[in-house]
Amino acid sequence: MMRTMLVTLMMISVVLTETHYYMSAPWTPFNPDRSINLDTIPDQAKFHKEQGVTHAWVIGGMGQWYALTVEERQQLGQAWVKAGNEKDLFVIVHTGASVIRDAVELTKHATKIGANAIAVIPPFTGARPGSVSELIEVLKMIVGDSKLPLYYYHIPGTTGINFKMSQILDEAYTSLPTLKGVKYVDSDVIDFVKCSEMFKGKYEMFWAPEPKLQAMPFGSKHYVLAESYYAPYLSKVVQQWDNENLKGAREAQQQLNDLQSLIGSSGSCAAMGQ
């Protein structure tokens, strides 16, 4: 009897302590003269933390990495690492670039400044990797001897790199040991499930497409937010799902959908200014 009670309590503990991560990619703040406004980064980090964001994916697409110089990206990365440390945010510095040597330099800098992890979108302008093996070799060149955890930016609609993510992970399993997770910006749920099941949770799979509820029956645990201020609403969806309340999860998802539609109709920045 006592053993049964202990097992039951252990199972309840596992459910209550299940970890969910919420990733947001912050905008890069600019001054009127188009220089980067680094002074606002601490406030951005504070706001992210208050909203419930756990992972900040900095200098990504939302951060307009393609419009910044290498030096500007280094300055921005350093400011975010400092602010993230102060606010207990897991800061992932995106180091992908159109030019591999720039990506290598950015990776070295992110490692030097103490980022929690790096993220890479492979070069996709001009010639793209022709096979999964070529893609892995490009990633290995960018990572170099850095020991930081690596997150792969899987966004085939933008890059035109259409390999299945499960194929990439299969190839990377032994040849790219620092690979820790994936920002999954693709609607292929079947491939997402394969990534989760084939590798028994080895990789952190962050689901990005909306609605987020669609991925929960397939074991999704971590999510990409379109904006940091969606985190409290998404956490309600996740909480209801974890409590096996499908009706509540649907209602919470609809609230999130309505908010996104409202803000989207006015433009994110314009709406937040009201």
Side-chain angles (χ1 to χ4, degrees), residues 198-263:
M198 284 175 59
F199 305 100
K200 308 300 182 184
K202 174 179 171 63
Y203 300 108
E204 294 175 0
M205 300 295 299
F206 283 82
W207 176 264
E210 295 291 347
K212 299 293 190 285
L213 183 57
Q214 67 178 307
M216 294 180 192
F218 301 104
S220 178
K221 302 298 180 187
H222 313 310
Y223 304 94
V224 179
L225 300 155
E227 302 286 359
S228 59
Y229 43 81
Y230 292 144
Y233 296 86
L234 177 56
S235 66
K236 291 180 182 178
V237 181
V238 173
Q239 182 179 20
Q240 293 299 323
W241 176 262
D242 284 350
N243 290 336
E244 300 183 358
N245 183 355
L246 180 56
K247 182 176 183 292
R250 286 173 172 169
E251 291 173 350
Q253 178 67 66
Q254 188 57 55
Q255 289 181 339
L256 177 56
N257 295 347
D258 291 343
L259 176 64
Q260 290 173 326
S261 295
L262 175 63
I263 292 177

Side-chain angles (χ1 to χ4, degrees), residues 74-199:
Q74 290 174 337
Q75 292 173 351
L76 194 56
Q78 189 159 357
W80 264 106
V81 167
K82 182 177 184 296
N85 285 338
E86 293 173 353
K87 299 301 178 184
D88 193 27
L89 280 173
F90 190 91
V91 176
I92 305 171
V93 176
H94 172 241
T95 64
S98 299
V99 179
I100 291 180
R101 64 174 174 270
D102 289 347
V104 171
E105 183 179 346
L106 288 163
T107 295
K108 289 180 179 179
H109 183 264
T111 303
K112 180 180 178 180
I113 63 176
N116 296 115
I118 57 171
V120 172
I121 188 172
F124 60 90
T125 55
R128 299 181 179 89
S131 66
V132 173
S133 296
E134 286 184 13
L135 173 60
I136 297 298
E137 287 305 311
V138 169
L139 295 176
K140 288 168 67 174
M141 289 172 60
I142 294 172
V143 170
D145 59 2
S146 174
K147 303 303 181 185
L148 289 181
L150 168 66
Y151 289 78
Y152 179 76
Y153 197 173
H154 182 62
I155 183 168
T158 295
T159 63
I161 299 175
N162 295 311
F163 308 123
K164 297 292 186 183
M165 193 63 232
S166 54
Q167 294 176 314
I168 298 172
L169 292 181
D170 190 41
E171 182 85 17
Y173 192 81
T174 55
S175 60
L176 196 58
T178 59
L179 182 61
K180 181 175 182 177
V182 179
K183 184 177 181 179
Y184 194 89
V185 190
D186 191 5
S187 59
D188 190 340
V189 179
I190 295 176
D191 189 42
F192 181 85
V193 172
K194 283 184 179 179
C195 293
S196 301
E197 293 184 348
M198 284 175 59
F199 305 100

Side-chain angles (χ1 to χ4, degrees), residues 7-18:
V7 171
T8 302
L9 287 170
M10 288 173 65
M11 291 175 65
I12 292 173
S13 177
V14 169
V15 172
L16 292 177
T17 59
E18 187 169 22

